[in-house]
Amino acid sequence: MATAPSVSYSMTVRLEVPASGTAVSQLTTAVEASGGSVTGLDVTASGHEKLRIDVTIAASSTAHADEIVGKLRGIEGVAIGKVSDRTFLMHLGGKIEMQSKHPIRNRDDLSMVYTPGVARVSMAIAQNPDDARRLTIKRNTVAVVTDGSAVLGLGNIGPKAALPVMEGKAALFKRFAGIDAWPLCLDTQDSDAIVEVVKAIAPGFAGINLEDISAPRCFEIEARLREALDIPVFHDDQHGTAIVVVAALTNALRVVNKKFEDVRVVMSGAGAAGTAILKLLMEAGVRHAVVADIHGVVHAGREDLVDAAPESPLRWVADNTNPERVTGTLKEAVAGADVFIGVSAPNVLDGSDVAGMADGAIVFALANPDPEVDPAIARETAAVVATGRSDFPNQINNVLVFPGVFRGLLDAQSRTVNTEMMLAAAAALADVVTESELNPNYIVPSVFNDKVAGAVAGAVRDAAKAAGVTVDTSTDATQA
């Protein structure tokens, strides 16, 4: 599938051209002829003989950007200066920082912020540990924890290479929910070590966001940490994705006038995200689900699953789905299905497969950047199509959920996160799209819709309080 020019591969090229003649127009022509897009052209210095121009260009890949620069070098009279990758410039020195909330201007300020005044606050917390949620950064701080074993679509690239992604996550927490999040990239992929490290750092945080940890290890790590800690532990790759999918499917079903309990759902992918989506869909009411992985349809009689351990995630899928005992390939399973949800690999379906689905078919092709089926082709016969991409309608993006979920958890001072809270978040996200706004190309709101985080946070906060899993502040010795 062809990729359009994107700001992700945006660069600024500084060059000099003759002050007279057609060199400037040739620049734009050369870029567009190479498949790029000029998004800015600024004259930064001018003289009688020469112009210095900064041209900002969107390309579709690093190789494409290099190709465009080569074409610019070929224009007569053009001298290329500095070429700056705008994405790399944004990451120079990191994307987040810590700063003090109070100025330290004199000795009085110093004695309250630090010694000797801080000792009184420390002793208050020693006498009542829950006061840490009110009197320290703990009340509004989340740890974004990874081992770098499953980063985006990049795979096992390790903790240092994962750091830019975790910084970005922290920046999104702040932008959309006002939460101070900090990236913790662990130099180990041993599950026991990860659990022990997170337990050790937990006192300084009100929540743990596990990120980009490979399956099936992520299931065990999350379960053990939830059991051990008195703060919520949320693996966003699993549950954030699941919440957005349930919200999007809620509205997609409204578009085609179908119900969760009546539709047959076929999924491609049984990893961390796929399993979490499946479980939340079943909690939302789905009764007929079939899952396929690289070996075909998952069923209890499949050779590689007959002797699988009961606690195996794939064995759980086999035991709890596919009531009709469908076998065979994904393509065979999707015939006649109402809903297809892909969290797997590119181009596993084609247009004929989508055309063979039920009337009013819904297709969520979420593999990124290349989805399971070309969304433009899927839309020819499907009623509703969603992807994980930002250049098609209905983007399934976790940023719609995780800031609001943690905002609600922190506001409620919740000790955990459960299925009821996740379903509440999904319902709240779906409801942001009003009846008058709902249509096949708008089943989830924009990530920049200012109603999203507040709606999700409020629903999660109320669900946490209803579940009785919040900190009891009735004995808070420091309550004003």
Side-chain angles (χ1 to χ4, degrees):
M1 190 172 84
T3 303
S6 164
V7 71
S8 298
Y9 297 101
S10 181
M11 60 180 170
T12 298
V13 183
R14 173 160 289 180
L15 39 79
E16 283 191 346
V17 302
S20 59
T22 62
V24 174
S25 62
Q26 288 182 63
L27 295 175
T28 302
T29 301
V31 171
E32 293 178 349
S34 301
S37 175
V38 175
T39 59
L41 194 152
D42 300 292
V43 176
T44 57
S46 176
H48 292 297
E49 302 295 329
K50 295 283 187 181
L51 292 177
R52 188 173 71 204
I53 299 176
D54 285 352
V55 183
T56 302
I57 300 165
S60 58
S61 67
T62 301
H64 185 210
D66 292 341
E67 176 190 337
I68 292 171
V69 173
K71 292 290 180 62
L72 294 178
R73 291 187 192 278
I75 300 175
E76 185 177 355
V78 170
I80 300 290
K82 186 175 180 62
V83 179
S84 302
D85 186 309
R86 293 177 65 215
T87 298
F88 275 77
L89 289 176
M90 185 176 285
H91 286 255
L92 280 179
K95 303 183 292 294
I96 60 176
E97 64 181 4
M98 192 284 288
Q99 61 181 1
S100 175
K101 292 167 66 176
H102 303 285
I104 305 173
R105 300 160 298 193
N106 50 48
R107 290 185 180 274
D108 285 351
D109 293 338
L110 181 62
S111 68
M112 288 188 288
V113 167
Y114 195 48
T115 186
V118 73
R120 294 169 50 218
V121 181
S122 293
M123 288 308 298
I125 295 172
Q127 293 167 14
N128 182 13
D130 280 340
D131 269 358
R133 292 182 182 257
R134 295 189 64 249
L135 297 173
T136 73
I137 59 171
K138 181 181 179 75
R139 73 179 294 172
N140 194 50
T141 306
V142 168
V144 182
V145 179
T146 190
D147 64 356
S149 61
V151 180
L152 298 175
L154 306 176
N156 189 351
I157 60 175
K160 290 182 180 178
L163 184 54
V165 181
M166 302 310 118
E167 283 186 10
K169 194 87 172 189
L172 295 176
F173 267 112
K174 190 67 174 180
R175 164 63 176 83
F176 292 105
I179 292 171
D180 297 311
W182 203 256
L184 298 178
C185 299
L186 308 185
D187 193 13
T188 177
Q189 294 186 2
D190 177 82
S191 297
D192 292 338
I194 292 171
V195 169
E196 291 306 311
V197 169
V198 175
K199 285 166 60 177
I201 58 93
F205 299 93
I208 304 294
N209 184 98
L210 299 177
E211 190 76 18
D212 293 345
I213 298 174
S214 63
R217 297 161 50 250
C218 59
F219 300 113
E220 175 199 354
I221 291 169
E222 181 190 48
R224 290 171 62 184
L225 287 172
R226 284 189 175 183
E227 180 70 24
L229 299 180
D230 66 347
I231 56 176
V233 178
F234 185 85
H235 185 208
D236 189 46
D237 301 310
Q238 293 184 62
H239 309 302
T241 306
I243 292 168
V244 184
V245 167
V246 171
L249 187 55
T250 298
N251 283 340
L253 291 173
R254 288 166 59 197
V255 169
V256 299
N257 196 29
K258 297 182 182 181
K259 298 180 179 179
F260 277 100
E261 58 268 27
D262 297 330
V263 295
R264 185 163 74 88
V265 177
V266 174
M267 292 185 57
S268 175
T275 303
I277 291 168
L278 173 66
K279 289 182 176 181
L280 201 61
L281 284 174
M282 293 172 71
E283 292 289 344
V286 168
R287 298 172 181 168
H288 307 284
V290 175
V291 180
D293 64 5
I294 194 170
H295 301 296
V297 171
V298 177
H299 58 91
R302 205 172 77 176
E303 185 176 348
D304 61 318
L305 296 176
V306 170
D307 297 322
E311 63 272 16
S312 161
L314 201 57
R315 181 70 207 193
W316 184 94
V317 173
D319 290 341
N320 290 275
T321 64
N322 198 357
E324 294 89 5
R325 298 296 178 235
V326 174
T327 61
T329 66
L330 170 66
K331 284 176 171 285
E332 291 170 334
V334 83
D338 298 282
V339 179
F340 169 77
I341 298 173
V343 278
S344 56
N347 304 315
V348 294
L349 298 179
D350 57 31
S352 63
D353 297 314
V354 177
M357 294 175 65
D359 291 341
I362 296 167
V363 173
F364 289 2
L366 306 183
N368 212 355
D370 297 317
E372 285 80 2
V373 59
D374 187 320
I377 291 175
R379 191 67 181 84
E380 292 176 1
T381 52
V384 181
V385 176
T387 73
R389 295 171 56 114
S390 59
D391 54 349
F392 288 94
N394 299 328
Q395 184 190 22
I396 306 296
N397 192 326
N398 288 16
V399 76
L400 285 164
V401 166
F402 70 80
V405 166
F406 272 97
R407 180 74 276 156
L409 293 170
L410 269 56
D411 288 348
Q413 298 187 46
S414 180
R415 296 185 183 275
T416 190
V417 58
N418 60 27
T419 299
E420 289 71 27
M421 297 177 205
M422 291 189 276
L423 287 174
L429 178 59
D431 286 345
V432 171
V433 179
T434 65
E435 196 64 41
S436 63
E437 295 173 321
L438 182 67
N439 65 66
N441 289 314
Y442 191 71
I443 57 171
V444 287
S446 162
V447 297
F448 292 103
N449 186 314
D450 57 11
K451 298 177 182 177
V452 168
V456 172
V460 171
R461 181 181 62 247
D462 292 346
K465 290 180 177 178
V469 293
T470 59
V471 173
D472 181 5
T473 59
S474 60
T475 58
D476 188 344
T478 67
Q479 187 73 41

